[in-house]
Amino acid sequence: MELAIAASPDQAPVVEKLAAKWQEDAPEIDGRCAEVSVRAAQSAEVAQSLTPNWKADSDVPRVDVWMPDSSIWIKSAAARPDVKPMVSNTPTVVAKSPVVMALPKPMAEAQGWPDKVISWAELAKTRVAGTTWARFKHPEWQQIKIGIGDPRASFPALGTLLSVADADGDNSVTEAELGNALVLARASTVEAATSDTFLARMRQVTNAQAGLVNAGPFPATEAQVAAYDNAKPKVPLVAINPEEGTVFADYQYQVLKADWVDSVRQKVAAEFLQFLQSEDSKRAYGAAGFRDPQLSTQYAVGLDTDLGMGSLPSAARDIPDIKSITQTVGYWTALQRKANLLAVIDSSGSMADPAPDGNGTRMQVVQQACLRAVALLNPQSNIGAWRFSTELNGDKDYQDMVPIGPAGGQLPDGTPRKDALQEFIYNRLVPEGATGLYDTMLAAYKNLQNHWQADNRLNLLVMMTDGKNEDPDGITQQQLIQQLRATANPDKPIQVLIIGYGPDADLNELTTITKAVGGQAFPARTGADIEKVFLATLIGRQS
């Protein structure tokens, strides 16, 4: 009788050794020889593949006992009504390990470790700002690089995201905290889904200095870092307890309630679990760098204190409920989405008036907000920019200042698009004229439709204005609505967002015209309000 175990890749080698040792005595259950087979499988993949309809001839291997690296994956699987009964047995924790920041030792020391506590958020801000390792007296390492992984596939990535995004630890993410997740998302520059992938790359390094050029911090469990360092690699890693705190990977032993897990397999599972809780098994887990279920390191001889392991993080955090996790991961996923954006900015004379909050002129506040909003976009997004007032280009109320195209690309004359955007925002948004809102909106909508992009991009028209339509020679509101509806193409959806900035913006007018194409209008009194609305739009959240 074979018991099939699916174990997370980091603990699978230990479980395999223990299974082999347990079978040395040829155990029998109900008169039948008992065997345990162990398969390394990413916990997220098992959570997605579980089904009560599994058949022996299926391409998916049978799972009798599931040993994920976190209870989160069990909760995730249980969120599916058909799978919930399968994971209704009470699981047993066999080991634990904190999620840490894994960082090459030379890079950690360059930043002041171990005397200085290192922060994910601060590192991310440093990366987004374009800072190089020259700041830390190591220009040979070039650009600072950060790897996060995919929180949908990796518990260390998920734990790091939850710790950074939910800064106050209240199990919810506010708009202000969402900015932390955004910076982390934009700072993630090394593509890899899981910690195992990051570690595999580090193991391949044969030249320490060359390896550091492509290295940087990434999330992993303390046990994963211990296993890596115990193999004496070219570049040792340190396990850092980040300033944001950490969560613990709690390695579960979950016996599935399924038709194929009959009474004999249940007995085999119970016998093997009892063995996993023995002193010998605890020592085996400890030798591999795992802590026991009580977080004690008494068996964890595999932890090297000189490399930051073995201490108990002072900022340990509870795992939030599955609803909060799903919400946060949803935001992260949305932040990865590429956009195809046309920004249309009011440059009428009233933009020279004082800002509602007293921080300079309306134009100055909008300029700063625009620059920060552009930074929110996925670097692979497309972007273009217009300004509008009245009669800017003959009798046209609008002017195409930066043609829409890849944010990281160039204009036809070779100017980097990002440089052109900054030049436009800082120097070419000159307040003049009145507000030609209607003609501009129709022209901008048509322009974006002509430049519509597929591949799941967010095609987004964003307009910012501090007033209402003031062009008596242009189209009427009714004509605008009619032409927008006639132009709209359900096969090429465009999301329209108008931000009415300041007390003179007519929100009723803006709401009426955006509703014609399923868009939205929002008021804003400060630059921070503008950023919040834009960020909420990117993640599909009502502001």
Side-chain angles (χ1 to χ4, degrees):
M1 174 60 69
E2 180 192 61
L3 183 74
I5 296 179
S8 58
D10 52 347
Q11 65 173 326
V14 184
V15 182
E16 283 184 282
K17 289 179 182 178
L18 291 173
K21 186 172 184 179
W22 181 68
Q23 288 166 181
E24 287 176 356
D25 296 329
E28 290 188 4
I29 305 293
D30 288 354
R32 301 174 66 178
C33 292
E35 296 182 3
V36 174
S37 66
V38 180
R39 173 173 62 92
Q42 294 292 345
S43 302
E45 293 178 4
V46 177
Q48 294 168 1
S49 66
L50 287 180
T51 172
N53 302 316
W54 180 86
K55 301 297 181 184
D57 59 357
S58 170
D59 292 335
V60 179
R62 190 183 81 242
V63 180
D64 304 324
V65 174
W66 181 22
M67 297 183 68
D69 57 4
S70 172
S71 57
I72 277 182
W73 305 119
I74 296 177
K75 293 176 182 178
S76 175
R80 294 158 51 199
D82 62 329
V83 175
K84 185 175 182 179
M86 294 179 65
V87 292
S88 59
N89 284 322
T90 302
T92 301
V93 178
V94 296
K96 287 188 177 181
S97 189
V99 172
V100 298
M101 178 193 292
L103 184 60
K105 187 179 180 183
M107 289 180 163
E109 291 173 336
Q111 294 181 69
W113 179 88
D115 298 324
K116 178 184 176 183
V117 179
I118 299 178
S119 160
W120 277 113
E122 287 305 313
L123 266 178
K125 290 176 183 176
T126 300
R127 164 62 204 180
V128 171
T131 306
T132 71
W133 280 104
R135 173 180 174 181
F136 301 99
K137 300 180 180 180
H138 283 280
E140 72 275 15
W141 298 340
Q142 302 176 21
Q143 290 286 331
I144 290 176
K145 298 177 179 63
I146 294 178
I148 299 300
D150 187 345
R152 298 165 298 185
S154 164
F155 178 70
L158 176 58
T160 298
L161 172 61
L162 293 172
S163 298
V164 174
D166 183 16
D168 58 10
D170 67 351
N171 292 345
S172 65
V173 180
T174 64
E175 280 88 351
E177 290 177 318
L178 202 54
N180 299 330
L182 174 75
V183 173
L184 194 65
R186 293 295 171 262
S188 181
T189 52
V190 183
E191 297 267 341
T194 66
S195 304
D196 301 293
T197 309
F198 286 118
L199 289 161
R201 290 179 183 175
M202 291 298 299
R203 289 189 184 98
Q204 293 172 358
V205 172
T206 56
N207 180 290
Q209 284 304 316
L212 289 172
V213 172
N214 296 311
F218 60 90
T221 64
E222 179 185 63
Q224 287 177 310
V225 178
Y228 169 87
D229 282 327
N230 288 338
K232 306 303 180 185
K234 283 287 185 181
V235 180
L237 293 172
V238 297
I240 296 171
N241 295 320
E243 186 176 342
E244 289 81 6
T246 188
V247 295
F248 281 88
D250 51 343
Y251 295 83
Q252 309 280 314
Y253 188 92
Q254 174 77 64
V255 182
L256 299 186
K257 273 190 176 180
D259 294 341
W260 58 87
V261 187
D262 56 23
S263 60
V264 179
R265 284 199 171 98
Q266 290 175 29
K267 290 179 182 179
V268 176
E271 290 284 342
F272 187 59
L273 173 60
Q274 188 174 356
F275 179 71
L276 287 179
Q277 295 174 307
S278 68
E279 290 293 308
D280 285 347
S281 294
K282 289 179 180 178
R283 289 192 186 94
Y285 263 95
F290 293 88
R291 303 179 185 218
D292 67 20
Q294 289 73 45
L295 299 177
S296 169
T297 59
Q298 61 176 316
Y299 302 102
V301 295
L303 299 181
D304 188 338
T305 55
D306 290 337
L307 295 176
M309 302 171 217
S311 63
L312 190 65
S314 58
R317 303 173 65 133
D318 293 331
I319 295 175
D321 58 53
I322 194 65
K323 181 179 178 181
S324 297
I325 293 170
T326 302
Q327 180 190 56
T328 305
V329 172
Y331 292 159
W332 172 274
T333 303
L335 289 171
Q336 307 304 312
R337 188 180 181 188
K338 292 176 285 189
N340 187 47
L341 167 71
L342 179 59
V344 183
I345 304 169
D346 189 343
S347 63
S348 60
S350 58
M351 290 293 286
D353 292 347
D357 59 3
N359 291 321
T361 66
R362 296 178 183 180
M363 183 62 80
Q364 288 170 335
V365 171
V366 167
Q367 285 171 324
Q368 293 301 315
C370 285
L371 290 170
R372 290 191 292 267
V374 169
L376 300 180
L377 293 173
N378 184 305
Q380 296 179 337
S381 293
N382 285 359
I383 188 169
W386 288 16
R387 71 174 182 132
F388 74 100
S389 57
T390 49
E391 298 182 347
L392 285 176
N393 184 12
D395 59 354
K396 291 181 179 178
D397 296 336
Y398 48 87
Q399 192 172 13
D400 186 347
M401 307 300 292
V402 181
I404 194 165
Q410 298 178 334
L411 300 186
D413 64 1
T415 303
R417 185 167 271 99
K418 286 185 178 179
D419 291 351
L421 283 167
Q422 287 195 346
E423 166 68 15
F424 159 60
I425 292 171
Y426 273 130
N427 300 320
R428 303 180 69 188
L429 276 173
V430 180
E432 59 181 334
T435 306
L437 180 63
Y438 296 163
D439 284 357
T440 300
M441 181 176 180
L442 180 60
Y445 189 84
K446 289 181 176 179
N447 181 274
L448 186 56
Q449 196 169 66
N450 290 336
H451 291 88
W452 192 89
Q453 293 282 310
D455 69 355
N456 194 38
R457 285 181 186 260
L458 173 64
N459 288 270
L460 179 61
L461 171 60
V462 177
M463 299 185 69
M464 280 182 276
T465 181
D466 72 337
K468 56 186 178 181
N469 186 64
E470 297 172 332
D471 182 4
D473 299 323
I475 59 175
T476 65
Q477 183 181 105
Q478 189 59 39
Q479 288 173 327
L480 169 63
I481 291 173
Q482 289 174 346
Q483 293 190 51
L484 283 173
R485 288 173 175 167
T487 304
N489 183 347
D491 294 329
K492 294 183 176 181
I494 293 173
Q495 189 163 342
V496 178
L497 169 68
I498 298 186
I499 300 173
Y501 175 59
D504 299 328
D506 188 336
L507 197 62
N508 289 330
E509 175 186 57
L510 301 180
T511 299
T512 299
I513 59 179
T514 54
K515 278 186 175 180
V517 283
Q520 290 181 290
F522 294 100
R525 285 188 52 82
T526 66
D529 290 340
I530 295 173
E531 291 175 65
K532 285 180 181 179
V533 171
F534 188 62
L535 180 55
T537 301
L538 289 181
I539 64 170
R541 179 174 178 172
Q542 293 290 332
S543 178

